[in-house]
Amino acid sequence: GIGSTSPMSKLSVQSTGTQLTLAYDNSNYVNFTVASNGEFTINSSAAGSMITIGDAAEEDGGIIIDGNAQDYYMALDDTDDTFKIGLGSTVGTTDYLDITSAGKIGVGTSTPNWNLQVAGTKPSIALTDYVAGATNQHWLFSNNNGTLYIGTSSASYATSTPAALTILNSGNMGIGSSTPGTLLSLGTGSNYINLSNTATSTYGYGIDVKTGC
């Protein structure tokens, strides 16, 4: 025990200040300190100091967070030179976020083809305004089986029906319609406007207008 008459381990250093200093010389050093609340601090004498994990060898390098119910890792996977954040303690398994050496970011995919790619079963991106009311907080962008949906969601994440905007992979667009049958469909049910090149409306070639007009 150093600074203690009752050491807690083979080597125990106790002090109200810095407990350990590793130094190259008197001007270049790193201090290791444990505060009264148990927080651990590493403080270097160098400006803009960095911590290096690994020695350029062909091996994974990173940090594992050992939790009570779940473990997580942040590491460089040497198999594909990709930085990953994932579940568990084995690098490269159940990865949730991947950043490739080309600067591409994948969420739900380890091989992103674009600057940002979100993948999964019906992948969705949400824009949330917590200042708004509970029924107006979210707008969702979703891809479901090749169809793009833009719709609202309540605080309980119940999406709007139909979506505010739907774009099929055929190019048909629906506003207020989730099944647009023409290039542009506005509305649903018996109240709608369709723009196409096959309509027979008397209101103009390519425009089909029903109910109230």
Side-chain angles (χ1 to χ4, degrees), residues 101-153:
S101 57
K104 298 176 180 179
I105 300 174
V107 178
T109 175
S110 59
T111 56
N113 292 308
W114 297 274
N115 289 341
L116 174 62
Q117 183 175 357
V118 180
T121 302
K122 192 182 178 181
S124 301
I125 298 176
L127 299 178
T128 299
D129 180 3
Y130 284 123
V131 179
T135 59
N136 299 308
Q137 289 184 349
H138 314 287
W139 274 96
L140 298 178
F141 298 81
S142 302
N143 177 2
N144 186 10
N145 197 28
T147 298
L148 173 65
Y149 295 96
I150 300 178
T152 60
S153 175

Side-chain angles (χ1 to χ4, degrees), residues 19-20 94 126 128 172 200:
Q19 286 90 22
L20 177 65
T94 319
T128 299
N172 289 355
T200 58

Side-chain angles (χ1 to χ4, degrees), residues 5 16 26 40 82 93 107 137 148 150 162 169 180 185 191 197 203:
T5 57
T16 56
N26 289 336
F40 178 58
T82 299
T93 60
V107 178
Q137 289 184 349
L148 173 65
I150 300 178
N169 53 18
S185 296
N191 299 285
N197 60 2
Y203 292 92

Side-chain angles (χ1 to χ4, degrees), residues 63-64 71-75 84-88 90-95:
I63 298 174
I64 295 175
D71 299 336
Y72 290 88
Y73 65 83
M74 297 183 295
K84 301 180 178 183
I85 298 177
L87 179 68
T90 302
V91 178
T93 60
T94 319
D95 44 328

